[in-house]
């Protein structure tokens, strides 16, 4: 029996999460993409704490006009700036089971432009 899109993504996510985990020295940048919005958070999996987060629903980002891909770049820049303020420079990227393409790729490139290394 064929898997639904969400079941397939969940399997890929679990496969990626076996390898990628966030530590205090190198936290994980986790991405969630819905049909309208995109969310990103930097997580230390050892302590279970979120260090920085940003989404397309934030006031300064939601007021910006543009395509969903352009908004994803702004979210990447925003989360990177918050992470740099918190003292995080290097991260591991967790694409959350989504293909590294389109909005997810755009978010990653925005974070790199703002100064995160991964």
């Amino acid at each position: 029996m064929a898997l639904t899109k969400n079941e397939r993504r969940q399997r890929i996510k679990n496969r990626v999460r076996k390898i990628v985990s966030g530590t205090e020295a190198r936290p994980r940048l986790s991405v969630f993409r819905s049909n309208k919005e995109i969310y990103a958070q930097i997580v230390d999996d050892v302590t279970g704490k979120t260090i920085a987060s940003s989404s397309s629903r934030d006031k300064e980002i939601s007021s910006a006009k543009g395509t969903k891909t352009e908004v994803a770049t702004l979210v990447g820049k925003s989360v990177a700036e918050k992470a740099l303020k918190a003292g995080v420079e290097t991260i591991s990227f967790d694409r959350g089971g989504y293909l590294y393409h389109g909005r997810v790729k755009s978010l990653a490139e925005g974070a790199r432009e703002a100064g995160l290394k991964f």
Side-chain angles (χ1 to χ4, degrees):
M1 203 163 113
L3 296 173
T4 65
K5 267 187 176 180
N6 283 333
E7 290 170 338
R8 181 179 172 279
R9 187 184 76 80
Q10 197 62 42
R11 279 192 181 182
I12 295 168
K13 183 178 180 180
N14 292 337
R15 191 167 56 228
V16 170
R17 288 284 286 122
K18 278 192 282 189
I19 301 164
V20 177
S21 69
T23 62
E24 191 175 338
R26 190 179 172 106
R28 173 174 60 95
L29 173 59
S30 175
V31 175
F32 177 74
R33 187 195 72 185
S34 70
N35 285 337
K36 287 186 178 181
E37 314 289 347
I38 190 158
Y39 307 84
Q41 61 181 352
I42 296 183
V43 182
D44 176 4
D45 289 317
V46 176
T47 59
K49 302 234 184 231
T50 298
I51 298 166
S53 66
S54 185
S55 76
S56 55
R57 299 185 74 183
D58 293 347
K59 286 185 179 180
E60 64 274 359
I61 296 172
S62 63
S63 62
K65 298 290 181 197
T67 63
K68 290 191 279 190
T69 308
E70 292 165 350
V71 170
T73 305
L74 294 176
V75 171
K77 288 180 182 177
S78 172
V79 77
E81 289 166 3
K82 290 177 183 177
L84 291 171
K85 282 183 186 174
V88 174
E89 291 182 10
T90 59
I91 57 155
S92 354
F93 188 71
D94 175 13
R95 58 193 174 88
Y98 304 107
L99 293 177
Y100 187 78
H101 180 268
R103 289 192 281 159
V104 175
K105 182 178 180 181
S106 160
L107 187 141
E109 289 171 351
R112 280 194 186 102
E113 284 175 19
L116 282 182
K117 295 180 184 74
F118 55 99

